[in-house]
Amino acid sequence: MKQLLLTFLLGCGVLQASACDICGCFMGITPYDNQSSFSLMHRYRIFNGYQALGQSARFFPDHVRPFFPTHLNQDAGYAHRHQGDPTDYEAFRVVELRGKYFLAKRLELNAFVPYVMNTSQINGRQLNVAGLGDVTVLAGYHLIRAIETAGVQSRLIVGGGVKLPTGSFRRVNEAGRRYPLLNQVGTGTTDGFGYANYIGSFHRVGLSVNSSYRLASRNAFDNGLAPSTATFASLFYRVPVGQKVQLYPSAQFFYEKTKGETFEGRLTGEHAMNNALLGPGLDVYYQNFSLNTSFQLPVYTARTNHPASAGRMVLAVGYSFKQTRYLVHRAVTKATFI
């Protein structure tokens, strides 16, 4: 654990339950090189306050629970009509089971299985929906893997994947009217995405930059989401504590952009996003166990007629195990990259 060996797979552009957390593939900083892992992650994203009316956004609006809603599935007469009520908010929560397995020394396979819990409150009426979200599978290849050269390390990972339409997108109210796309637990679309992640470090200081692009299809109702991009940057520092514990405090920047929902291939003007967030992170490692945290607040939010971005929070616990054998050997490991 003395070397700063990172697999910082972040910002994959995955849309789990909503377009409101484009950067859904946060994996955290890890000092373990070529170790498979599994983890349990919780993500919280909150929107509230109408900028055009001078309302400020709050990370914890009144009566909002960041981890679990009061009711998993409940409709209290909800209607999706924004009229400037200062108590309006949208909260998106995901509890996600994640697994990573190295098929070869440079090739990793990831799978994410989310449980989605969304809450939307407009004009005092609240809607809660919960259930299995859209499962994501992705692969990353380590083009550059310079582990240790005079205190300098670098790694370049490129990859892509697919989000599968496993989550429900047909939920309706008592009158049989279908809820809006972002109030479903799934999108009903099969989406593809690609990403590139570069990590560089010098002794204990490191920088990770990840950019991703996502392209969505249309669902059975001809709904979809416009292409989206996300960029994440993290400046981190390694702090060893004894022989078994390492701390990684970091400053994290996140930028996301999408033109929002589409219907029959045309933009509807709903849920366009152009946001930048900044905040601290702290990752803790004890032997093969990990705790990853991230907390970000907005530094720029483009004006829309919807509640504004108020921040995001990520918490994860994980376990990594050393691999000594791979399913894929010669074809990949003999490639002549750095």
Side-chain angles (χ1 to χ4, degrees), residues 140-192:
Y141 189 78
H142 297 229
L143 280 177
I144 297 176
R145 186 174 174 270
I147 301 302
E148 181 73 42
T149 305
V152 178
Q153 301 178 58
S154 61
R155 187 184 297 265
L156 175 62
I157 308 169
V158 296
V162 61
K163 180 192 71 64
L164 304 172
T166 55
S168 172
F169 65 102
R170 301 175 182 270
R171 297 195 182 184
V172 298
N173 60 18
E174 291 184 353
R177 186 179 180 86
R178 182 171 167 263
Y179 294 127
L181 181 61
L182 298 190
N183 295 119
Q184 304 284 342
V185 296
T187 62
T189 63
T190 300
D191 303 347

Side-chain angles (χ1 to χ4, degrees), residues 187-250:
T187 62
T189 63
T190 300
D191 303 347
F193 56 89
Y195 69 90
N197 182 204
Y198 177 77
I199 311 107
S201 68
F202 179 70
H203 295 295
R204 294 186 180 183
V205 179
L207 175 68
S208 173
V209 180
N210 182 292
S211 291
S212 62
Y213 178 82
R214 174 189 160 277
L215 186 64
S217 63
R218 304 182 198 178
N219 61 25
F221 298 98
D222 229 355
N223 285 131
L225 294 159
S228 60
T229 59
T231 297
F232 189 97
S234 176
L235 179 65
F236 54 87
Y237 186 78
R238 180 174 66 95
V239 181
V241 181
Q243 297 294 319
K244 296 182 178 181
V245 178
Q246 291 191 67
L247 307 179
Y248 291 85
S250 59

Side-chain angles (χ1 to χ4, degrees), residues 45-306:
R45 188 75 192 271
I46 185 69
F47 294 77
N48 64 92
Y50 294 92
Q51 290 180 303
L53 300 178
Q55 298 174 9
S56 59
R58 293 185 295 163
F59 193 78
F60 295 113
D62 293 340
H63 310 299
V64 173
R65 301 173 65 180
F67 293 101
F68 299 96
T70 305
H71 303 279
L72 291 178
N73 291 283
Q74 183 188 58
D75 185 345
Y78 176 84
H80 193 79
R81 293 190 295 269
H82 295 282
Q83 298 174 347
D85 190 326
T87 66
D88 288 359
Y89 69 85
E90 295 172 334
F92 301 91
R93 314 169 190 84
V94 179
V95 175
E96 195 166 61
L97 180 63
R98 299 182 158 222
K100 177 171 66 175
Y101 180 77
F102 274 87
L103 297 174
K105 195 171 184 179
R106 293 178 180 267
L107 180 63
E108 60 180 62
L109 181 67
N110 296 265
F112 310 145
V113 181
Y115 185 81
V116 174
M117 298 168 286
N118 295 339
T119 301
S120 181
Q121 178 172 298
I122 298 179
N123 304 316
R125 304 284 185 171
Q126 191 174 108
L127 172 67
N128 290 280
V129 294
L132 175 69
D134 292 339
V135 173
T136 299
V137 179
L138 62 96
Y141 189 78
H142 297 229
L143 280 177
I144 297 176
R145 186 174 174 270
I147 301 302
E148 181 73 42
T149 305
V152 178
Q153 301 178 58
S154 61
R155 187 184 297 265
L156 175 62
I157 308 169
V158 296
V162 61
K163 180 192 71 64
L164 304 172
T166 55
S168 172
F169 65 102
R170 301 175 182 270
R171 297 195 182 184
V172 298
N173 60 18
E174 291 184 353
R177 186 179 180 86
R178 182 171 167 263
Y179 294 127
L181 181 61
L182 298 190
N183 295 119
Q184 304 284 342
V185 296
T187 62
T189 63
T190 300
D191 303 347
F193 56 89
Y195 69 90
N197 182 204
Y198 177 77
I199 311 107
S201 68
F202 179 70
H203 295 295
R204 294 186 180 183
V205 179
L207 175 68
S208 173
V209 180
N210 182 292
S211 291
S212 62
Y213 178 82
R214 174 189 160 277
L215 186 64
S217 63
R218 304 182 198 178
N219 61 25
F221 298 98
D222 229 355
N223 285 131
L225 294 159
S228 60
T229 59
T231 297
F232 189 97
S234 176
L235 179 65
F236 54 87
Y237 186 78
R238 180 174 66 95
V239 181
V241 181
Q243 297 294 319
K244 296 182 178 181
V245 178
Q246 291 191 67
L247 307 179
Y248 291 85
S250 59
Q252 301 180 358
F253 174 80
F254 172 52
Y255 175 73
E256 60 188 347
K257 185 175 183 180
T258 177
K259 293 183 179 179
E261 293 183 43
T262 65
F263 179 68
E264 296 182 343
R266 299 182 179 88
L267 293 172
T268 65
E270 290 289 312
H271 297 284
M273 294 175 56
N274 186 2
N275 301 318
L277 300 95
L278 180 67
L282 177 63
D283 298 308
V284 181
Y285 292 88
Y286 173 73
Q287 295 184 334
N288 284 28
F289 296 93
S290 63
L291 171 66
N292 308 104
T293 68
S294 176
F295 179 85
Q296 299 155 10
L297 295 174
V299 292
Y300 170 76
T301 303
R303 292 200 173 194
T304 69
N305 60 353
H306 287 72

Side-chain angles (χ1 to χ4, degrees), residues 12-29:
C12 310
V14 176
L15 223 64
Q16 299 296 357
S18 69
C20 299
D21 196 1
I22 293 173
C23 180
C25 291
F26 178 89
M27 294 297 285
I29 302 170

